[in-house]
Amino acid sequence: MQVVGVTTQQFVYIASRERKFRIGEILIIDDPELHLRGEVVETKSFNRFLPLTAEQSPLIDPDVWNGLEQVGFRLGEETIHLAKVRILTDIPYPVAVGAAVHLPSFAEVADLLLPCEPDSGLVLGVILGTEDMQGTLPDQLKKLAPLYRKGEGILPQKGVPFVFDHKAMQEYPHIGIFGGSGSGKSFGMRVILEELMEKRIPTLVFDPHYEMSFNTPFEGMEEKTAKKYASNTEILTVGRETGVNFEDLTSDDLASLLRAAGGNFTEGMDNALKAIHRPKDSFISFSQKLDYCIRLAEKEEETRAEIRKNYGENSPFEKMIDNMARQAGHPSSLRGISWRLHRLNREGIFQKDISAILNALQRRRLTVIRGPIWLLTVFSAYLIRKLYGMRRDYIDALQRGEPPADKFPPFVIVTDEAHNFARKGTEFVSPARSIFREVAQEGRKYGVFLILATQRPALLDETITAQLNTKIIFRTVRASDIDVIREETDISGEEAGRLPYLPSGTAFVSSAIVGRTVSVRIRCARTQAPRSLNPFAELDRDFGGTDAELFKVISKFLPLHFGQITLILPEIENALDRTVTVDEVQASLEALAAEGKLEKIEGPFGPTYQGVNE
Ligand SMILES: Nc1ncnc2c1ncn2[C@@H]1O[C@H](COP(=O)(O)OP(=O)(O)O)[C@@H](O)[C@H]1O
Ligand SMILES: [Mg+2]
């Protein structure tokens, strides 16, 4: 390998007869005075059978051409592998054409590739282009990141592990995970969460896909690791184990909850809500006031009589309701509030509080919040505001030298489908957007960090996107998303061109912490989402048996005349544990006959079914 051309102080061309170059790999240029390292950014191979002309290959400019000939390459006569290499250090003078180049041992590039010891960072995968260094890796780095390939299973690590120095997030906070469907986001997120658990970092995960549980080991991985992770995880469903404490809600909180409950939440509703809601209202007190106001507008006489019966003549309560009803405006606004309120209430959201979440985070656990996405986006707005507030109060008190009221740990917030939590634009304002923005901009000060995954980076709020100092970019096909990625990262045009073709699980990591874009193969996860049964297998297991079950029941009544079905119906219903009609039984008998399991004999009064060997 030799230097064959120099364009600027930053780039050189290196050619080889034997070795194909890989994008991302690091090469060492043997310059007697400078210890020069460069990264391959483009590659090209020329076959000797292909006549070579300058016009055909933009990679080659005339200088490189001359350089190649100068050091003895015979253009058009032999195979030549060529790499464009970006020099990684500032150099005082250009590199000489002809200088020899070698592949580094790990020690020669450790400072570039390994920012910290693996046990003080997150081991996320393997740096692509470093495969040849596996041999020179120290033993303790050799088996940290086994890989996975569908069809082949778990493969040994090959290359330098990619260790993310998460402690540097204090300076460069927040991570974005971008990629199209099936590109490896969820798998990658699982790997990150496993690593966060290894470090016992309190983490709050919003899990709209019900996929983030850790008790099932990945095939071929250790059972005990999954056990350890599972015992570190708290899974809570909104409306079942966690929810909103109604008494805590401000009118604005409640408005944003109702807004997210669906439909068009009008300004009239917002006004009406503020007319009726008071601090410390319980769900009962609020819905009662609301209800009276609605009924007062619809059936005044009757409602007034009821209020007087319950509260007496001229009660302050009656005055209050009168006032509220007047301020609240049109009853349609009140009804709009009412159905939204009851929709949320039916989800159970007001029956629980967040104490289980506080408790889990205090104990440094991975806390997974599940629910339908619309409910999660609402709940997250409330929850994050609350938790972030607690953390901020704690730190602010410490900084002012006051004794803090409640101790609250730093924590990480993780969510998939982030564009639903914080969508850009004005036509639909996600309830959680403002709090996500606040954490994106100021969370660093308080030790609160975001990890946001989305398949639509183009739809994610720009203020937030701009604060994601590390971006992990998986396969992306959609042009508008690629445009955003190009604007928001330092990936090159060449790399952007490869985005649509990245295999699942391979990503570019563009990070202020890493300093340059690296291409990474995410390691094999140690756990997996509980296997959902293949729906076709489920059909056979849970639904396919109807005819077969029926066959068992009727076998003792064979031969069975069509007219006798009614007589044995109760017995069949008992055995199948459900109601059955005569038509259904006959259809099953027909199906069994068609399959050859029964014999059907036509007769003048309808068919008789009998066993095949009778
Ligand atoms: N790091 C990886 N190594 C090997 N295979 C992967 C990796 N990441 C993803 N895959 C494969 O791709 C599939 C889809 O990945 P997934 O994370 O579910 O995609 P997404 O969440 O982006 O839709 C996985 O089921 C797995 O088979
Ligand atoms: Mg996914």
Side-chain angles (χ1 to χ4, degrees):
M1 285 187 288
Q2 278 178 302
V3 174
V4 294
V6 179
T7 48
T8 63
Q9 311 257 123
Q10 279 96 45
F11 290 100
V12 300
Y13 290 94
I14 292 174
S16 163
R17 286 191 178 83
E18 301 82 27
R19 193 173 177 283
K20 267 194 154 170
F21 295 98
R22 297 199 187 105
I23 288 182
E25 72 184 345
I26 293 179
L27 302 173
I28 308 236
I29 299 161
D30 300 319
D31 183 290
E33 271 141 77
L34 304 164
H35 184 55
L36 274 186
R37 301 180 293 188
E39 180 192 2
V40 175
V41 292
E42 283 178 49
T43 64
K44 195 135 206 150
S45 293
F46 298 101
N47 187 299
R48 68 194 162 99
F49 300 112
L50 287 178
L52 190 85
T53 67
E55 296 82 54
Q56 277 179 325
S57 33
L59 184 62
I60 298 215
D61 63 41
D63 282 347
V64 180
W65 201 281
N66 295 337
L68 275 166
E69 281 178 335
Q70 205 179 320
V71 297
F73 283 94
R74 294 181 313 280
L75 292 165
E77 287 174 36
E78 57 185 344
T79 299
I80 304 172
H81 305 290
L82 196 62
K84 184 177 179 185
V85 172
R86 186 165 58 90
I87 302 292
L88 294 170
T89 37
D90 288 334
I91 47 173
Y93 52 83
V95 184
V97 169
V101 173
H102 73 266
L103 288 174
S105 67
F106 174 69
E108 288 176 288
V109 289
D111 60 314
L112 283 177
L113 301 180
L114 202 66
C116 62
E117 288 304 313
D119 46 3
S120 55
L122 312 180
V123 182
L124 301 185
V126 164
I127 302 175
L128 292 177
T130 64
E131 292 79 356
D132 289 337
M133 280 178 240
Q134 180 71 18
T136 56
L137 278 180
D139 284 345
Q140 73 272 19
L141 295 181
K142 276 186 173 154
K143 288 183 179 163
L144 296 172
L147 301 176
Y148 170 73
R149 201 170 305 134
K150 219 174 184 163
E152 291 174 55
I154 301 175
L155 308 169
Q157 171 184 328
K158 197 153 185 276
V160 178
F162 175 72
V163 181
F164 181 72
D165 182 10
H166 64 286
K167 291 188 181 127
M169 283 213 286
Q170 182 172 31
E171 201 178 341
Y172 300 112
H174 316 309
I175 300 175
I177 303 176
F178 300 156
S181 170
S183 62
K185 291 184 304 300
S186 296
F187 201 101
M189 195 144 103
R190 172 175 295 279
V191 168
I192 292 176
L193 293 177
E194 289 177 356
E195 292 292 314
L196 291 174
M197 272 194 272
E198 292 286 346
K199 302 288 180 293
R200 300 289 316 274
I201 295 170
T203 304
L204 181 68
V205 186
F206 294 100
D207 180 21
H209 300 140
Y210 293 69
E211 63 185 352
M212 289 303 162
S213 60
F214 298 84
N215 41 10
T216 314
F218 199 89
E219 306 103 49
M221 290 286 183
E222 281 189 340
E223 190 102 22
K224 76 168 195 277
T225 315
K227 278 220 175 78
K228 179 176 83 177
Y229 292 157
S231 72
N232 252 315
T233 306
E234 190 81 36
I235 297 178
L236 304 163
T237 305
V238 183
R240 221 164 54 209
E241 293 93 11
T242 184
V244 167
N245 190 355
F246 199 93
E247 282 88 355
D248 265 4
L249 294 173
T250 64
S251 299
D252 283 332
D253 285 343
L254 184 56
S256 77
L257 283 174
L258 295 175
R259 187 171 292 120
N264 178 26
F265 192 75
T266 61
E267 210 162 306
M269 294 180 204
D270 198 49
N271 290 336
L273 170 76
K274 282 168 186 157
I276 295 175
H277 183 257
R278 294 288 174 270
K280 300 266 188 280
D281 257 340
S282 68
F283 176 76
I284 308 273
S285 69
F286 177 73
S287 52
Q288 188 196 30
K289 287 188 285 181
L290 183 63
D291 198 39
Y292 274 133
C293 288
I294 293 173
R295 285 164 52 207
L296 212 50
E298 287 170 348
K299 295 181 183 160
E300 178 162 2
E301 296 285 288
E302 195 184 310
T303 311
R304 211 169 277 287
E306 186 186 322
I307 294 176
R308 289 182 181 159
K309 195 175 127 221
N310 289 336
Y311 295 89
E313 295 286 325
N314 276 325
S315 64
F317 186 80
E318 186 178 346
K319 277 202 203 93
M320 180 181 79
I321 296 292
D322 273 337
N323 261 331
M324 285 176 171
R326 205 172 325 111
Q327 284 171 29
H330 202 269
S332 66
S333 297
L334 296 172
R335 280 195 298 271
I337 295 176
S338 181
W339 80 255
R340 286 174 176 79
L341 184 73
H342 287 100
R343 178 169 189 212
L344 290 172
N345 190 43
R346 271 198 305 280
E347 293 290 335
I349 186 171
F350 300 128
Q351 265 94 65
K352 295 282 167 190
D353 61 18
I354 59 168
S355 52
I357 297 174
L358 296 179
N359 201 320
L361 290 175
Q362 296 274 17
R363 279 153 55 222
R364 304 179 60 167
R365 288 158 76 92
L366 183 83
T367 311
V368 180
I369 314 292
R370 290 184 170 173
I373 185 126
W374 72 269
L375 192 58
L376 280 187
T377 58
V378 184
F379 182 62
S380 65
Y382 164 81
L383 178 66
I384 297 173
R385 203 165 287 134
K386 194 100 184 161
L387 300 178
Y388 186 61
M390 291 175 74
R391 175 65 187 165
R392 199 177 43 205
D393 291 348
Y394 171 60
I395 293 295
D396 287 347
L398 283 185
Q399 274 166 0
R400 284 195 300 263
E402 295 163 9
D406 286 304
K407 212 170 152 188
F408 201 77
F411 62 102
V412 179
I413 300 166
V414 182
T415 188
D416 202 348
E417 308 291 356
H419 61 281
N420 284 315
F421 289 77
R423 188 181 289 254
K424 87 154 61 141
T426 47
E427 78 258 46
F428 171 76
V429 178
S430 340
R433 182 169 79 186
S434 66
I435 186 63
F436 270 100
R437 265 193 198 167
E438 193 175 337
V439 176
Q441 290 172 312
E442 311 233 293
R444 178 173 91 85
K445 283 204 300 217
Y446 300 108
V448 180
F449 302 103
L450 299 172
I451 301 180
L452 303 180
T454 174
Q455 47 181 319
R456 295 306 321 277
L459 299 183
L460 186 64
D461 181 64
E462 306 96 318
T463 316
I464 295 171
T465 308
Q467 298 293 331
L468 304 171
N469 277 272
T470 296
K471 295 181 178 88
I472 304 177
I473 306 148
F474 290 95
R475 181 176 59 244
T476 303
V477 177
R478 205 188 289 255
S480 59
D481 292 326
I482 294 180
D483 288 345
V484 167
I485 290 165
R486 292 201 62 172
E487 276 163 36
E488 292 292 339
T489 65
D490 57 359
I491 72 167
S492 66
E494 220 279 330
E495 287 159 337
R498 284 167 56 206
L499 278 178
Y501 311 104
L502 291 181
S504 299
T506 294
F508 290 115
V509 178
S510 164
S511 171
I513 295 177
V514 182
R516 61 196 180 95
T517 301
V518 287
S519 177
V520 171
R521 175 82 186 157
I522 300 295
R523 70 162 171 79
C524 183
R526 302 185 183 113
T527 58
Q528 59 185 345
R531 290 242 145 223
S532 56
L533 191 60
N534 181 303
F536 300 106
E538 181 192 340
L539 275 177
D540 284 343
R541 194 192 69 181
D542 296 346
F543 297 88
T546 333
D547 291 343
E549 276 171 48
L550 184 84
F551 183 67
K552 257 190 263 160
V553 185
I554 58 160
S555 52
K556 58 181 168 198
F557 299 109
L558 296 178
L560 179 69
H561 180 255
F562 162 73
Q564 294 170 306
I565 294 177
T566 333
L567 301 177
I568 63 165
L569 220 44
E571 189 123 0
I572 296 175
E573 290 192 337
N574 268 342
L576 299 184
D577 198 21
R578 61 184 172 92
T579 55
V580 179
T581 64
V582 174
D583 285 351
E584 196 187 325
V585 174
Q586 207 204 345
S588 288
L589 292 171
E590 285 294 313
L592 289 165
E595 280 175 49
K597 291 192 178 138
L598 288 178
E599 197 178 334
K600 177 182 175 185
I601 301 156
E602 295 288 358
F605 305 106
T608 299
Y609 301 89
Q610 68 175 31
V612 185
N613 295 322
E614 282 176 55

